Amino acid sequence: MTPVVAVLGSLNMDFVVSVETLPSPGQTVLGSRFQMLPGGKGANQACACGRLGAGKVRARIAGRVGYDLFADHLKASLSAAGVDVSAVHATRSHPTGVALIWVDRQGQNSIVVASGANHAFAATDVNGLRATFSDASYALFQLETPLETVEAGLALARSEGARTMLDPAPAAPLPRHLLQFVDILTPNESEASVLLGRPAARLTIAEARQAAAALREQTGVATVVMKLGEQGCFWLDADREVYAPGFPVKAVDTTAAGDTFNAGLAVALAEGLDAAPALRFANAAAALSVTQPGAQASIPPRAGVERFLLEQQG
Ligand code: RIB
């Protein structure tokens, strides 16, 4: 049977402006190109599951949008990637979520999200999602919907037999009663620092290993995967530790690189790959995503990732 990855999360319309340098507080800068592109951490992860799964893994998403044109556009983008959007419902109380994104010449970004309908996704709505998770081998979550909704979704997915993966983004301290339902936690360096209550810093691989160990200890989550940007990633669980180096590429826009990584990891694990090849696949997908602008617009197809991995070997 084709494995299923289910996502509960946000859908946003991204308003993206290219700038020379990111503005500092109180500063006005002139931007160049402006684009409206499909985004939202949940939708990006679902889209990436669809493209990277390419028929070998089925993807679906549960989320909330408004009654507006953005909603139609966002659902169409996901459907085109093969994602089942039947659990994306519209609410009259809020407009579809939007994100304002500046991207500088190095491909780094700043993002402000106006959550809109994503925040109208109530914990009680999760009661209607049993069918979304019942045959899912992996269930993906992020933090752009209310924490209570994330917790209810994690609990339901776990009770239905899915392995749960939480991307703790945007960074927020998380209560133990939510973390108890998480099987795999995937922070980047700044999210790890928030969870650990430490100052944000770039980490060496040895420091990433130490941070992952501290997170396992502090959160009780069995598997921690530290996302280290161009350095790659570090997996730590009770039995093994795996460092998977990143692939050097020229970054034009890092938006959704983390989302692409999580989806790549979930797709590979759902197909039965072991940690090391799954991390390599996820790193390759994320590396390719930063070579293109936009969130969902930058997510590579599976064939592109497979070709890239073959080129890296040869
Ligand atoms: O992770 C990238 C995403 O963060 C963007 O697509 C934007 O919508 C924000 O949610």
Side-chain angles (χ1 to χ4, degrees):
M1 228 174 58
T2 311
V4 173
V5 177
V7 179
L8 185 155
S10 58
L11 298 90
N12 295 329
M13 182 57 84
D14 291 351
F15 290 70
V16 188
V17 180
S18 306
V19 293
E20 195 64 23
T21 49
L22 300 177
S24 42
Q27 190 187 18
T28 301
V29 299
L30 292 178
S32 49
R33 190 170 60 163
F34 166 71
Q35 288 181 290
M36 266 193 323
L37 295 166
K41 293 186 193 302
N44 296 343
Q45 293 189 7
C47 178
C49 286
R51 284 202 196 134
L52 298 170
K56 299 193 174 180
V57 170
R58 285 192 291 141
R60 61 174 74 115
I61 180 169
R64 290 290 178 273
V65 289
Y67 276 97
D68 46 42
L69 288 176
F70 292 162
D72 300 340
H73 195 69
L74 294 175
K75 286 202 284 183
S77 172
L78 291 173
S79 297
V83 179
D84 176 349
V85 295
S86 56
V88 175
H89 297 303
T91 170
R92 294 214 177 272
S93 61
H94 293 73
T96 297
V98 298
L100 309 180
I101 304 181
W102 329 137
V103 182
D104 75 10
R105 269 166 61 88
Q106 277 71 48
Q108 298 302 315
N109 61 42
S110 287
I111 304 182
V112 175
V113 175
S115 297
N118 298 304
H119 258 256
F121 197 168
T124 48
D125 296 338
V126 171
N127 297 333
L129 290 177
R130 197 162 292 280
T132 301
F133 296 112
S134 61
D135 57 351
S137 39
Y138 280 80
L140 309 190
F141 300 83
Q142 329 72 35
L143 301 178
E144 286 187 336
T145 47
L147 273 192
E148 313 82 66
T149 309
V150 174
E151 181 173 339
L154 284 162
L156 177 62
R158 171 76 78 71
S159 73
E160 291 295 315
R163 276 176 65 73
T164 59
M165 187 185 293
L166 176 64
D167 188 0
L174 294 172
R176 192 76 181 215
H177 52 81
L178 180 152
L179 289 162
Q180 67 174 319
F181 300 116
V182 178
D183 294 311
I184 304 176
L185 185 67
T186 63
N188 65 19
E189 289 151 295
S190 64
E191 290 145 11
S193 71
V194 170
L195 291 171
L196 289 168
R198 297 177 181 173
R202 291 306 316 258
L203 302 177
T204 64
I205 307 307
E207 289 167 341
R209 191 210 173 279
Q210 192 279 333
L215 279 170
R216 286 189 73 239
E217 171 80 24
Q218 185 177 307
T219 64
V221 176
T223 302
V224 172
V225 180
M226 292 285 303
K227 293 188 280 198
L228 304 170
E230 69 286 352
Q231 292 193 97
C233 58
F234 191 94
W235 168 304
L236 187 69
D237 65 22
D239 308 316
R240 70 205 139 154
E241 53 182 75
V242 183
Y243 168 60
F247 296 98
V249 289
K250 180 168 166 22
V252 301
D253 182 356
T254 57
T255 309
D259 299 328
T260 306
F261 176 92
N262 275 51
L265 183 59
V267 163
L269 293 173
E271 288 185 52
L273 265 62
D274 207 353
L279 294 172
R280 187 171 152 77
F281 181 80
N283 276 344
L288 285 174
S289 78
V290 307
T291 65
Q292 301 297 324
Q296 288 167 40
S298 73
I299 296 167
R302 182 189 187 98
V305 177
E306 289 172 343
R307 201 177 323 117
F308 179 76
L309 283 169
L310 279 176
E311 285 164 10
Q312 299 300 312
Q313 279 169 6

